[in-house]
Amino acid sequence: MKSAAALRFRKKKGMVVDMATVRTRFAPSPTGFMHVGNLRTALYEYLVAKSQNGTFVLRIEDTDRERLVEGAEEVIYQTLKKVGLRHDEGPDLGGEYGPYVQSQRKELYKPYAEQLVKEGKAYYCFCTKERLESLHQEGEFGGYDRHCRDLPQEEVARLLAENTPYVIRQKVPLEGSTTFCDSVFGSITIENKEIEDQILLKADGYPTYNFANVIDDHLMNITHVVRGCEYLTSTPKYNLLYEAFGWKIPTYIHLPLIMGKNEDGSVSKLSKRHGSTSFEGLLEEGYLAPVITNYIALLGWAPKDNQEIFSLEELVQNFSVEGISKSPAVFDYEKLNWFNGEYIKAMSDEEFTKNAMPYYKEVFEEEEKPWEILASILKARIGKFKEIPGLLEFFRELPDYPADFFVNKKSKTTLENSPQMLKAAIETLEQLPSWELHAIHDSLIQLAEKLEVKNGTLLWPVRIAAAGTLVTPGGAMEILAILGREESLRRLNAGLLKF
């Protein structure tokens, strides 16, 4: 009997939700990288559970042995860790409903399949691979033709005695329809004649994905099933199994499709032609893990207000199923870039430097630099950390640049006054007792006043000589501070030789 705590309920969107026992599961197959669609499913499973003080379960579904990829299971663990989705039960943590890897539960499924055969709700199918392939070639039927559905019992017994290979198929009603309610899409009805007699147990003894899902979800007390809307038409297969066993059907939450923008402005289902579609691919492109999580959360879900930037904890606090849309969501890489830039701007200098250090080393190697100055000039200028080496390339080696770079109408610099400004700057900077940003700044500002010129008239030629490029992430003073005294003076003197 359930405890009093387990009987506390809250009504939500026409459904009665047991607040004490909400259990969701993320059940990926280790077949490769984590697609953003799979990651969104994991995130929503997590949010559905945690927003209702429930339990988030990780289950590895490896029954499709032909598609398994070595190392893919570790990819699942690492991805969940990087985005902060900590499961409460799973293969690595254990729990009272284990094992949490389907191949380790193999012996559980056959008795359930045979129970359905005994009750006339499933049947043995002895059709060969060649016969099944011929059905699809003929194209007369969209699926299996139910050839073995009504085999005489004596024939079945004979074939079993002869160890003829078989699968076990679900016996779907041939008439009527199956209706279910989805939390997002509402009431859905599928005609039973459109549902194939799906395989439950394969010839190798492993259950199919659909059958194992139902058995495991029931045995693990999963209350809410979250998945993509492409599974909407498959749901009656699941429900007919639940009904066949007399089990309670879970709450379904189907998520909208994720689309990508095509070059002509139209949209189609997200694929590699639109850009990176895996979590690892997005990381390699320079997107931060929390950014990916934040952005993916908004692909099909809208908060009650206009807030867009969320930590994972804030997503838990604000998430509700009512905010999930039926309409397809468009994966906008420009929007993702904006998110990444906003996250970078909000970082402390210390956090920024930690993330930027691998890219700094591409330019400066092991040399120490005033990292706080670099953080201050780069934070607002980059959308991804991988942009840093390109922006700082001039620090590694002074580019070859023409004297025309010193001419700037706005700063009122010419080929005549630029060498004068450079010479005065060199004489002033050589006298500095310490090479600190504030000292460089104050000395050059005072020099401009002394020369009775605008700050830009002095600083433009200094910046050009120090960087050798028209566009830089920082101003003249910051560049000099980062270069250091010796290299700065060397470059300024080299600038004089351009005239």
Side-chain angles (χ1 to χ4, degrees):
M1 181 179 292
K2 291 185 178 180
S3 65
L7 292 174
R8 291 198 301 270
F9 291 93
R10 183 177 77 180
K11 205 163 187 179
K12 191 170 185 178
K13 201 178 181 181
M15 301 181 298
V16 175
V17 179
D18 185 339
M19 290 297 292
T21 58
V22 170
R23 288 174 60 84
T24 66
R25 50 70 174 164
F26 177 49
S29 298
T31 55
F33 290 112
M34 181 83 74
H35 187 273
V36 293
N38 293 335
L39 182 56
R40 184 188 64 171
T41 298
L43 176 59
Y44 281 31
E45 297 262 16
Y46 178 88
L47 295 176
V48 167
K50 296 306 175 182
S51 65
Q52 300 180 75
N53 298 314
T55 301
F56 176 58
V57 178
L58 173 64
R59 186 173 75 223
I60 302 298
E61 300 197 338
D62 60 348
T63 57
D64 191 346
R65 310 304 290 176
E66 294 180 359
R67 295 180 62 228
L68 297 185
V69 173
E70 186 176 352
E73 190 169 329
E74 184 59 28
V75 169
I76 294 169
Y77 288 116
Q78 288 302 314
T79 300
L80 294 180
K81 181 179 179 181
K82 287 176 183 176
V83 297
L85 302 185
R86 298 179 179 176
H87 47 284
D88 303 295
E89 301 171 20
D92 54 334
L93 299 178
E96 61 179 302
Y97 299 100
Y100 293 88
V101 178
Q102 282 187 338
S103 60
Q104 297 173 14
R105 301 167 65 85
K106 180 182 175 183
E107 304 308 317
L108 288 172
Y109 306 111
K110 188 173 183 178
Y112 285 104
E114 290 179 333
Q115 176 187 333
L116 293 180
V117 173
K118 186 181 296 185
E119 295 173 357
K121 299 168 183 175
Y123 58 93
Y124 294 106
C125 174
F126 302 94
C127 291
T128 63
K129 181 180 179 181
E130 291 72 24
R131 182 180 186 281
L132 295 174
E133 288 177 349
S134 70
L135 289 178
H136 296 297
Q137 290 169 2
E138 292 169 8
E140 294 178 358
F141 184 73
Y144 179 58
D145 63 357
R146 301 186 170 96
H147 175 75
C148 296
R149 180 174 172 126
D150 298 310
L151 285 179
Q153 191 57 43
E154 314 83 67
E155 179 69 3
V156 172
R158 181 185 67 78
L159 291 168
L160 290 175
E162 293 175 356
N163 292 320
T164 305
Y166 67 85
V167 300
I168 293 180
R169 289 184 180 271
Q170 182 180 7
K171 187 178 283 188
V172 175
L174 301 178
E175 299 178 349
S177 60
T178 299
T179 300
F180 69 97
C181 183
D182 179 72
S183 300
V184 176
F185 289 84
S187 181
I188 305 289
T189 298
I190 303 292
E191 296 297 319
N192 289 335
K193 64 182 180 181
E194 297 179 10
I195 305 174
E196 186 181 2
D197 282 4
Q198 66 173 339
I199 296 174
L200 305 179
L201 200 72
K202 294 180 284 188
D204 60 5
Y206 278 94
T208 57
Y209 173 85
N210 290 335
F211 187 54
N213 253 273
V214 170
I215 302 300
D216 288 341
D217 284 349
H218 171 72
L219 295 179
M220 294 182 180
N221 286 335
I222 300 302
T223 61
H224 292 65
V225 172
V226 182
R227 59 191 180 208
C229 64
E230 62 268 26
Y231 290 100
L232 272 171
T233 56
S234 299
T235 301
K237 296 180 183 179
Y238 294 84
N239 287 358
L240 288 170
L241 286 171
Y242 278 106
E243 292 169 357
F245 287 116
W247 295 341
K248 183 180 178 181
I249 295 173
T251 297
Y252 291 110
I253 302 171
H254 284 87
L255 309 178
L257 289 172
I258 300 179
M259 312 296 281
K261 281 186 179 180
N262 300 319
E263 291 183 0
D264 62 0
S266 63
V267 297
S268 58
K269 191 171 181 181
L270 185 66
S271 66
K272 290 182 180 179
R273 71 174 179 273
H274 297 115
S276 291
T277 59
S278 71
F279 175 73
E280 287 298 327
L282 292 171
L283 286 181
E284 289 173 6
E285 285 198 8
Y287 298 107
L288 302 168
V291 172
I292 299 171
T293 306
N294 187 163
Y295 183 66
I296 286 178
L298 300 176
L299 290 178
W301 172 76
K304 294 179 180 177
D305 54 26
N306 294 322
Q307 182 178 348
E308 290 187 294
I309 305 297
F310 290 91
S311 66
L312 185 58
E313 293 73 21
E314 289 171 330
L315 284 172
V316 170
Q317 294 166 8
N318 288 273
F319 185 82
S320 67
V321 175
E322 291 92 334
I324 300 177
S325 171
K326 298 179 186 178
S327 302
V330 178
F331 195 105
D332 187 338
Y333 289 90
E334 291 182 7
K335 185 72 170 180
L336 182 60
N337 286 336
W338 177 83
F339 268 94
N340 216 57
E342 292 301 301
Y343 265 75
I344 289 173
K345 288 176 189 174
M347 286 181 173
S348 66
D349 286 354
E350 182 179 2
E351 185 183 5
F352 181 91
T353 301
K354 181 180 178 181
N355 281 276
M357 191 56 67
Y359 304 98
Y360 285 156
K361 288 186 176 181
E362 290 184 29
V363 178
F364 303 118
E365 297 181 346
E366 299 302 322
E367 189 178 353
E368 282 296 314
K369 290 293 181 182
W371 308 121
E372 69 283 355
I373 297 176
L374 279 162
S376 68
I377 65 175
L378 289 173
K379 264 192 203 178
R381 289 174 170 84
I382 64 170
K384 303 174 186 176
F385 282 99
K386 66 184 300 182
E387 297 169 8
I388 288 176
L391 289 172
L392 303 184
E393 180 63 27
F394 67 86
F395 282 106
R396 177 159 46 190
E397 184 177 358
L398 182 66
D400 185 20
Y401 62 96
D404 290 347
F405 278 15
F406 288 104
V407 179
N408 184 274
K409 187 176 181 180
K410 183 178 180 181
S411 297
K412 296 185 177 180
T413 59
T414 65
L415 291 177
E416 287 71 34
N417 65 10
S418 289
Q420 298 171 16
M421 297 298 108
L422 276 179
K423 187 175 181 181
I426 292 170
E427 292 173 353
T428 297
L429 292 170
E430 285 178 334
Q431 304 304 314
L432 282 182
S434 65
W435 200 263
E436 303 291 339
L437 178 59
H438 66 88
I440 296 170
H441 175 276
D442 293 348
S443 67
L444 292 179
I445 295 301
Q446 290 168 13
L447 176 60
E449 291 178 1
K450 180 180 176 182
L451 296 174
E452 297 182 346
V453 297
K454 289 184 176 181
N455 291 342
T457 305
L458 172 66
L459 297 178
W460 180 270
V462 170
R463 185 174 67 83
I464 292 299
T469 180
L470 293 171
V471 179
T472 58
M477 290 97 157
E478 290 89 354
I479 292 171
L480 294 174
I482 294 165
L483 283 171
R485 182 194 298 271
E486 183 179 344
E487 180 63 13
S488 292
L489 293 174
R490 185 188 75 79
R491 291 188 178 197
L492 296 185
N493 278 297
L496 282 176
L497 299 178
K498 294 285 183 179
F499 300 96

